[in-house]
Structures are given as structure tokens and as C-alpha cells.
Amino acid sequence: MTQTQADDLRPTTAEPVVLMRGISIEFPGVKALQDVDLTLRPGEVHALMGENGAGKSTLIKALTGVYTPDAGTTTLNGVQVAFHGPAAAQSAGISTVYQEVNLCSNLSVAENILLGREPRRLGGIDGRAMRARSAEVLARMGLDVDPASILSSHPIAIQQLVAIARAVEIDSRVLILDEPTSSLDADEVAELFRVIRSLRDEGVAIVFVSHFLEQVFEISDRMTVLRNGRVVGEYATAELTRLELVSAMLGREMDLLEEIERAVAESAPSDATDTPLVRVTGLGRTGAIEPFDLTIRAGEVVGLAGLLGSGRTELARLLFAADRADAGHVEVDGRPLRLRGPRSAIAAGIAFCSEDRKGEGLVADLSIRDNLVLAMQAARGWARPIPRRTKDELVEKYIEALDIRPGNPDALIGNLSGGNQQKVLLARWLVTEPRLLILDEPTRGIDVGAKAQIQKLVADLAAGGMAVLYISAELEEVVRLSDRVVVLRDHRKIAELDGRDVSVSDVMALIASGDQADHRSGGTERKAS
Amino acid sequence: MSTATPVTFAARARQSRLTWPLLALVALLLVNVVVTPSFFSLRIQDGHLYGSLIDILKNGAPTLLIALGMTLVIATRGIDLSVGAIVAISGAVTCTYIAGAPDPTSASAAIIGLSMALGLCVLLGLWNGFLVSVLGIQPIIATLVLMTAGRGIAMLVTDGQIITVTNPAYRQIGAGFLVLPISILISLAVLAAVAVVTRRTALGMLIESVGVNPEASRLAGVQARTIIWTVYVFAALCAGVAGLMISSNVSAADANNAGLWIEMDAILAVVIGGTSLAGGRYSLTGTLVGALIIQTLTTTVYTAGIAPEITLLFKAVVVIAVCLLQSPRARAALRRGKTPPPVVPDAGTPSAAPDLGVLADVPGPVAPASTSSSHSAQKAGQR
């Protein structure tokens, strides 16, 4: 697929209302955006696509004045602008409707629409004028809502539309909708789309951010795809297939995908007659992941593939008992295991490296040494401290083996780079000598060198007999490392592919289409409803 | 050696969180010497050690004890406001039992009485810990319950009266001597015990881990709930023993006033000692120094004859000065002689002393106070 420069593709030939050029934003240790361009034209719905962490939110915040870019220019109707805060952006005509409804639910619909801009009369608020003006806006959007009714009496979908009405009322030229459909059902989405289309026809430029590919294809005219803080390309929606979009988001051109060699192809596939190390039957949790079956053998790397929100992390957390399952059971070595919490999983030899490094991994104010031995010490109990010498030997060994920098055990882990933090967290589990290591996005947000080191480590560990459940948004990684790939979509396990024959495009096709019938999938697949 | 060692020492001293509180303490003591030349003098009378320093230690013993329990609670990101009320309950239960015992002067009455009191304190600690660790109620609210209800319980026990007892054995705890006052020995023994138990085992590290990141600790297999529960029980037990000291010292139980506001002194001692209210790393030595600063301050106010109307103000100024000296931003500003640039708050990473940054902008008496104390501290170093 080639990158389409789409200047002549879309119906509108109007001058762009927003032109962002060369936007770069850097946070300590992370290049959130690098040289990003975004062009918004009046009367188009522009989808902003990318996996989590690709930079969509950062770009929106740069546009609305929440962040100040380190480099780059933004022009609004040909005039260069720099907003100091969302209020300034809003008064310039750029409105944002966030995922969580950002209104006062105890006020009336009219009060919400005109909050801060209430029509006044005789020093007080003119309630009648307020309702009249709100009714006008609502009618323009084709909404049948009583302006005097209390906002909280309406369902979330209507509240979201009221938030949009508020943006319409101030005559926004740019309307940003950040995940507007995540809490809506199908009918409500249809209603929202009707409103979006009518606004588009009035000449509003609409930025649409969503993880739902079908909706993006339904509503958008054009899309900009981000990956790792860079623009992959700008495309006209009509000229893009779903598969092409997924591959743009996840990062491989289709031709190249076919050629990827599997680095661990020769790693011995486990003997199917062995008792599997872990056998999961019907494990599930309402709202997180539907019941699934899974077997993992010693020395095997099982990859979990799927888009964000497909249930990858939820599956891992159930297996580690970080969340309680409400169905199913787990056997380790053929013996049933009662998962009562992380401690019971750890005692059974299961380790879990969370994708949320900061929130669920690091103990930022403690040293590398303390972080590294935390899980081992917790398993021993407080009364049996690890002897100082053993501790120093372990720490020294892993600092050297994983090339952790700085190599000073007393350095606070919070001050390390993302890659080195990740290595310490890996080491935290490796010292407990787990039998099944669950890695959730171990390479996210870390530099290329560390990524390669961690992948190499996973391959070595599996060769040494450890079972690994490997979760990553980077399909190339998953396919390269895994002996088997389990594909998830919409909180459901949809297929299990034997890694010896699997290619990234196979997995992508499954993720994108969900058409499982003609794939060699495992016996545990469940039909989509 | 003579050239290398001082450099390392100076470098280490500059990094240590203890340096500034220690200097503040030394400065306070020096102020006292200037005002009362005999301040440092100690004398032995009937085998007991007397002197102003001993008085400071003796009067500070209950605060120190409570602050030790508070240190561990704060290290888990919690706080315990109920310790003052527990002080009152502990004294009330013991004195009420002794007063009603068959032989109110016997040692056995004192022992049974204080055992009952301490047993009750453990139950109260279990209650606090249950609210915080099992029900997940915010510590400040959970312990506010007992802070309010506790004095009521103490009043019920004493029937609203001040109960006086005459029991020589009981009197030993708060007023007795073993060369040094026994209350000092108890507090120091508890300090030593806590230091050994938390620092020689892994308990201290696990407490800090739970305080810094409870969820990460849970996922690493740390029994966060048990640890949090335990520190609240320990804090209540410390408060109970402190309550015994206070009521034993005056041979009476006053449900209304015993341990009033002592929770605030204890929290202050912990914070002055360099333990952040955001949880995590704690310093027992720091708490010791903090408790001593607070008690020395109170003593200074009396001996220096500072007018009672401005006593609290004086205390506040010194506390602000000490806190400012600990704030890296304020120190940087003092060095450059201007106000610090605003620091962009980093969500999710609690700074070492989050509340102190705000004070950095306080003008006026603060800077002179801190400069003078560091000057006198330097003089002290030269002597």
C-alpha cells in the first residue's frame, strides 16, 4: 500500500480550516509527537487513527492548547495561532467533546448548552431566552429534547449530543469528538452519526477518534494514521481497505509482512503428549472477556494478538488472578489451581508483567535493588529477609545480564528510562523463577535497542523451558516470537493459529475481518454472534 | 584521610534528609543555652538524673512513642487521627480499673488494669485497620470516626469524672526513674525494637513498597492488606502505652484533656523528620529528631519567657522554617536568592514533600529565621 497524498481526493476543495505542520512534542524521555502534520478541511469528517500511545490524544491536546508544542506551527484559517489553554481554543472556534461527558448533570439541558454564555436581562439570567436559543440549536441538530429538562434525566447518548449542541451553539468551526461512541449502543450511534453528518454539511470540520473500525469507515471522509508519534499517512477513507488500515496502524507494509522470517522457527515445538503446564477451561469474567480455553506447555511462547480493547490484558489478568474470574477453572500440571489472588498465582509459578508500568509495576520511590527483589521477598514473607549477600549477587547478576543502566543498585527506579525500568520489572519476576511468564506489552514505549534485547530474552527463556504468554500490539513481535498465536477480538477468543505457518497478514486478516471460517483455527474458537 | 573524609561527610550530609532537622534541633538547643546558661547542666539526685534536657526527653516520650506508630502508618500512605482519643481511653480504662480494684494500691491491680487497656487499644487498632484495609475507607475519614467517638468512650468509662489513683506501681510508668525516667526508656526501647523489626527484616521495605504503589505491590504478591492492618494496630498500641505514661505521670485519667491534639504533634514530628505524607520512604531517626524538636520548642517557649499569646505563632514560625529547609525547591531558591521557577506537576509521581512547595512562596519572617538557624548551626560545628 502506498501512502496517498490526498489533496485531490475528497469532495471539498475548500481551503483547510486547520493546518498543523511539523508538530513535535517531547515529554521527559518520550518523543510523543515527531514532525506531525494534520490538515482539517471544512465539511469533512477526519478520523484520527492509531493504536494506544500512537499520539492521537497528544495531537488533540496540541491543537486545543492543552500542550504547547516544542516545534511546529498551527494555522487557523490561514492565521498562525498558539493557544494558551482549551478556553482560548474554544473561543477561536475549536471545541472538544470528550469520552466522558463533561457537563453539569444537575443543570438543565439549556443551562448546559449556554453555560458561561447565558443571555442576561436586568442583571439576571434570562431563562426564557436561554430556553429559546437552546431549542433553536437542538432543532437545528434535529434533536427532540426539552431544553428545560434536567440533563441527568437523559441517557448518556443524549448527554453527549447536548455536549455537541454546546459546541454548535458557539459556532465551532472545528469539532473534536474523542471516542464519542464508546458508551453508546447501535441506535444511539446512528443518531450521533446523523448529527455529525448534518454538522459536516454545514461546513464544520470534524475530528473523529475511535477504536471502532466499522464506525470509522462509516462516518469518516479522510483519515490520518499515527504510529509511535509519527504520521504514517493521510488517506481517503473510500480508497482504503480495512486490512490496509490495520496494517498502517500496526506498522507493516503488506509486502514486507510476507517476507518476515521467524527468528525462532527452529525452536522445538513442544510434545503434544506432555501434560500441559497450564490448562485453562472456560475462564471468563463478565464485561472483561468471554470464557476461553487455553493450554500452554513448558518451553512454549504463546502470543496474544488483537487490537486495543480486544481483551488481551483482561485475559492475562484473569490468569494471574489480578481480577477474579466468574467462570471456569485453571489447572497447573494437571492439578486444579484455585486463583484467589496474585499470591496464589505466584505460588503456582505464574508471573505477570503489567502493561501499565507506572501504575502497576514500578515502585518509583524505591531503589533498583528493592524493586528487583520485591516479588521474591513478598513470596518469602517479611520475616525471612533475603540475606544481604544473596540480594547483592542477584541484583548484580541481573543488572549485568539484562544490561540495566545505570548499573547502580541504589538508583531510584523512577529515574530510569522506560526500557531500563522494564528490564528491572522483568528481572523482578525472573528472580522468582516462574514457570509461566505473562508479559503484557513488554516493549511498549521503549527504545528500539531495549525492544530487541527483551525479545531476545523471551526467546532464550523459552528455550530454557519457561512458558511465556506474550502480549503485544506489535504483531510482528508476536508472530516472530510465538509458537502459537491466539487471536482476540471484541473480548472474545476468535482463533488459535499454529505459529509455524502463521504470518502477520494471517493475523491481521483475522483481526480486521473476523471471518474465521477459512482459517486453521483451534478447536476452542467461538462463533461471533 | 584528613582531606578525603570531610568531603565525603559533607556530601553525604547535604544529601541526607536528616541534616536540616538536626541543625534546627541544635539551633533550638543553642537558643536555650543563650537564654538559660545552665540549660545543658545535668545533676544526679537520689540516683536520678535531672536537668532541662531530661525534662525535654521525659515530656517528649509520649509524643515520640505515638510518632513512631504514626511513622509506619504514614509510610503506607495512611494517617491515624485517633491516637489522641486512644490515649484518653487507655488512661481512663486503667485508672477506672485500679480505682475500683479490691486493693487500689497493689501492683497486680495496675498490671491487670493496663493489660485491659492495652488489649482494648489493640481492638481499636483492629477497627481502624479494618476500615482502611478491608473496607477501603480513606484513612483520614476512617480514623476520624474513632477520633470523635474515642473521647466519648473514655468519658463513658470514667463517667465524665477525672479519676485519680494512688498506686505506686502504676506511677512508675510515667513518673518513675531508673537513673533516667522510665517513660524515656520505654520510648527508646520501642524505637529500637521498631528499627530492628522493620530494618533487619524485610518489613520496612514492604511497608514502603505498599506506601509508594499499593497496586504494584499487590501484583508483586505483597500482602498489602495485612501490612496496612498491622500498622494501624501498632499505632493504636503505641498510643495506648503513651496514654499510660500520661495518666501515670499525674496519677489521674482525664478523658477530656489527656492526649488532646497529640495526634497533630505526632504527625508534625513525622513530617519534620522527613517522612512524606505521600507515603513510602520513612525515617525512624527523623521521627525521633522531629519529636525532640517539637518538645524542645515547647520547652523553649516556657524557659525563654515568650509571652503566652504568641507561643503558638512562635511554634508555627519555627515549624515552617524547618519544613522550608527540607524542601529542595526552597533551598534552591535561598541559594539563588530569588523565588523558584514554577515546577510542572508530574501526575502520578508524588514528590518527596508535596505540600511544602506551596510554602516556598511565603515571604517575610521565614527566610531570616532559616538563615539564622543555619548560621548558628555553623557556629556549633566550629566549636
Side-chain angles (χ1 to χ4, degrees), chain B residues 140-177:
Chain B
I140 197 166
I141 300 301
T143 57
L144 194 60
V145 171
L146 193 54
M147 181 191 183
T148 319
R151 289 209 179 264
I153 295 174
M155 299 274 277
L156 282 176
V157 171
T158 60
D159 230 357
Q161 307 295 313
I162 293 180
I163 311 271
T164 51
V165 293
T166 320
N167 186 310
Y170 184 54
R171 201 171 151 70
Q172 289 296 314
I173 300 174
F177 272 86

Coordinates of all heavy atoms in Angstrom, one line a residue, chain B residues 140-177:
Chain B
I140 N -8.0 9.1 56.5 CA -8.3 10.3 57.3 C -9.7 10.3 57.8 O -10.0 10.7 58.9 CB -8.0 11.6 56.5 CG1 -7.9 12.8 57.4 CG2 -9.0 11.8 55.4 CD1 -7.3 14.0 56.7
I141 N -10.6 9.7 57.0 CA -12.0 9.6 57.4 C -12.2 8.4 58.4 O -12.8 8.5 59.4 CB -12.9 9.4 56.2 CG1 -12.8 10.5 55.2 CG2 -14.4 9.2 56.6 CD1 -13.1 11.9 55.8
A142 N -11.6 7.3 58.1 CA -11.7 6.1 58.9 C -11.3 6.4 60.3 O -12.0 6.0 61.3 CB -10.9 4.9 58.3
T143 N -10.2 7.1 60.5 CA -9.7 7.3 61.9 C -10.3 8.5 62.5 O -10.3 8.6 63.7 CB -8.2 7.5 61.9 OG1 -7.8 8.6 61.0 CG2 -7.5 6.2 61.4
L144 N -11.0 9.3 61.7 CA -11.7 10.4 62.3 C -12.9 9.9 63.1 O -13.3 10.5 64.1 CB -12.3 11.3 61.1 CG -12.8 12.7 61.5 CD1 -11.8 13.5 62.1 CD2 -13.3 13.4 60.2
V145 N -13.4 8.7 62.7 CA -14.5 8.1 63.4 C -14.1 7.9 64.8 O -14.8 8.3 65.8 CB -14.9 6.7 62.7 CG1 -15.9 6.0 63.6 CG2 -15.4 7.0 61.3
L146 N -13.0 7.2 65.0 CA -12.6 6.9 66.4 C -12.0 8.1 67.1 O -12.1 8.2 68.3 CB -11.5 5.8 66.3 CG -11.2 5.1 67.6 CD1 -12.4 4.6 68.3 CD2 -10.2 4.0 67.4
M147 N -11.5 9.1 66.4 CA -11.0 10.3 67.0 C -12.2 11.0 67.7 O -12.1 11.5 68.8 CB -10.5 11.3 65.9 CG -10.0 12.6 66.5 SD -9.6 13.7 65.1 CE -8.9 15.1 66.0
T148 N -13.4 11.0 67.0 CA -14.6 11.6 67.6 C -15.2 10.7 68.7 O -15.5 11.2 69.8 CB -15.6 11.9 66.5 OG1 -14.9 12.3 65.3 CG2 -16.6 12.9 66.9
A149 N -15.4 9.5 68.3 CA -16.1 8.6 69.2 C -15.2 8.2 70.4 O -15.7 7.9 71.5 CB -16.5 7.3 68.5
G150 N -13.9 8.2 70.2 CA -13.0 7.7 71.3 C -13.1 8.5 72.6 O -13.1 7.9 73.7
R151 N -13.1 9.8 72.5 CA -13.2 10.6 73.7 C -14.6 10.3 74.4 O -14.7 10.3 75.6 CB -13.1 12.1 73.4 CG -11.7 12.4 73.1 CD -11.2 13.8 73.4 NE -9.8 13.8 73.0 CZ -8.8 13.6 73.8 NH1 -9.0 13.4 75.1 NH2 -7.6 13.6 73.4
G152 N -15.6 10.1 73.6 CA -16.9 9.7 74.2 C -16.8 8.4 74.9 O -17.3 8.3 76.1
I153 N -16.0 7.4 74.4 CA -15.8 6.2 75.0 C -15.1 6.4 76.4 O -15.5 5.9 77.4 CB -15.0 5.2 74.2 CG1 -15.9 4.8 72.9 CG2 -14.7 3.9 74.9 CD1 -15.1 4.0 71.9
A154 N -14.1 7.2 76.3 CA -13.3 7.5 77.5 C -14.2 8.1 78.6 O -14.1 7.8 79.8 CB -12.1 8.4 77.2
M155 N -15.1 9.1 78.1 CA -16.0 9.7 79.1 C -16.9 8.7 79.7 O -17.2 8.8 80.9 CB -16.8 10.8 78.3 CG -16.0 11.9 77.7 SD -15.7 13.2 78.8 CE -17.2 14.1 78.7
L156 N -17.4 7.8 78.9 CA -18.3 6.8 79.4 C -17.6 5.9 80.5 O -18.1 5.6 81.5 CB -18.8 5.8 78.3 CG -19.9 6.4 77.4 CD1 -20.2 5.4 76.2 CD2 -21.1 6.7 78.2
V157 N -16.3 5.6 80.2 CA -15.6 4.7 81.1 C -15.4 5.5 82.4 O -15.6 4.9 83.5 CB -14.2 4.4 80.5 CG1 -13.3 3.7 81.5 CG2 -14.4 3.5 79.3
T158 N -15.0 6.7 82.4 CA -14.8 7.5 83.6 C -16.0 8.1 84.2 O -15.9 8.8 85.2 CB -13.7 8.6 83.4 OG1 -14.3 9.5 82.4 CG2 -12.4 8.0 82.9
D159 N -17.1 8.0 83.5 CA -18.4 8.6 83.9 C -18.2 10.1 83.9 O -18.9 10.8 84.7 CB -18.7 8.1 85.4 CG -20.1 7.7 85.4 OD1 -20.8 7.8 84.4 OD2 -20.6 7.2 86.5
G160 N -17.4 10.6 83.1 CA -17.2 12.1 83.0 C -16.4 12.7 84.1 O -16.2 13.9 84.1
Q161 N -15.9 11.9 85.0 CA -15.1 12.4 86.1 C -13.6 12.3 85.8 O -13.2 11.5 85.0 CB -15.4 11.6 87.4 CG -16.9 11.5 87.7 CD -17.4 12.9 88.1 OE1 -16.8 13.7 88.8 NE2 -18.6 13.2 87.5
I162 N -12.8 13.1 86.5 CA -11.4 12.8 86.5 C -11.1 11.8 87.6 O -11.4 12.0 88.8 CB -10.6 14.1 86.8 CG1 -10.8 15.1 85.6 CG2 -9.1 13.8 87.0 CD1 -10.1 16.4 85.7
I163 N -10.6 10.6 87.2 CA -10.3 9.6 88.1 C -8.9 9.7 88.6 O -8.0 9.6 87.8 CB -10.5 8.2 87.5 CG1 -11.8 8.1 86.7 CG2 -10.4 7.1 88.5 CD1 -13.0 7.7 87.4
T164 N -8.7 9.8 89.9 CA -7.4 9.9 90.5 C -7.1 8.5 91.2 O -8.0 7.9 91.7 CB -7.2 11.0 91.5 OG1 -8.3 10.9 92.4 CG2 -7.2 12.3 90.8
V165 N -5.9 8.1 91.1 CA -5.5 6.8 91.7 C -4.2 7.0 92.5 O -3.5 8.0 92.3 CB -5.2 5.7 90.7 CG1 -6.5 5.4 90.0 CG2 -4.1 6.1 89.7
T166 N -4.0 6.2 93.5 CA -2.8 6.2 94.3 C -2.2 4.8 94.2 O -2.5 3.9 95.0 CB -3.1 6.6 95.8 OG1 -4.1 7.6 95.8 CG2 -1.8 7.1 96.4
N167 N -1.4 4.6 93.2 CA -0.8 3.3 93.0 C 0.6 3.4 92.7 O 1.0 3.8 91.5 CB -1.6 2.6 91.9 CG -1.2 1.1 91.7 OD1 0.0 0.8 91.7 ND2 -2.2 0.2 91.7
P168 N 1.5 3.1 93.6 CA 2.9 3.3 93.4 C 3.5 2.6 92.1 O 4.3 3.1 91.4 CB 3.6 2.7 94.6 CG 2.5 2.5 95.6 CD 1.2 2.4 94.9
A169 N 3.0 1.3 91.9 CA 3.5 0.6 90.8 C 3.1 1.3 89.5 O 3.9 1.4 88.6 CB 2.9 -0.8 90.8
Y170 N 1.8 1.7 89.4 CA 1.4 2.4 88.2 C 2.1 3.6 87.9 O 2.5 4.0 86.8 CB -0.1 2.6 88.3 CG -0.7 3.2 87.0 CD1 -0.5 2.6 85.8 CD2 -1.5 4.4 87.1 CE1 -1.1 3.1 84.6 CE2 -2.0 4.9 85.9 CZ -1.8 4.3 84.7 OH -2.3 4.8 83.6
R171 N 2.4 4.3 89.0 CA 3.1 5.6 88.9 C 4.5 5.5 88.3 O 5.0 6.5 87.7 CB 3.2 6.3 90.3 CG 3.4 7.8 90.3 CD 3.3 8.4 91.6 NE 4.1 9.6 91.6 CZ 3.9 10.7 91.0 NH1 2.8 10.8 90.2 NH2 4.7 11.8 91.0
Q172 N 5.1 4.3 88.4 CA 6.4 4.1 87.8 C 6.5 4.4 86.3 O 7.4 5.0 85.8 CB 6.9 2.7 88.1 CG 7.2 2.4 89.5 CD 8.4 3.2 90.0 OE1 9.4 3.4 89.3 NE2 8.3 3.8 91.2
I173 N 5.4 4.0 85.6 CA 5.5 4.1 84.2 C 5.7 5.5 83.7 O 6.6 5.8 82.8 CB 4.1 3.6 83.6 CG1 3.9 2.2 84.0 CG2 4.1 3.8 82.0 CD1 2.5 1.6 83.5
G174 N 5.0 6.5 84.3 CA 5.1 7.9 83.8 C 6.1 8.7 84.6 O 6.6 9.7 84.1
A175 N 6.2 8.4 85.9 CA 7.0 9.3 86.8 C 8.2 8.6 87.4 O 8.9 9.2 88.1 CB 6.1 9.8 87.9
G176 N 8.3 7.3 87.1 CA 9.4 6.5 87.8 C 10.8 6.8 87.2 O 10.9 7.4 86.1
F177 N 11.8 6.4 87.9 CA 13.2 6.6 87.4 C 14.0 5.3 87.5 O 13.8 4.5 88.4 CB 13.9 7.6 88.3 CG 13.7 9.0 87.8 CD1 12.6 9.8 88.3 CD2 14.6 9.6 87.0 CE1 12.4 11.1 87.8 CE2 14.4 10.9 86.6 CZ 13.3 11.7 87.0

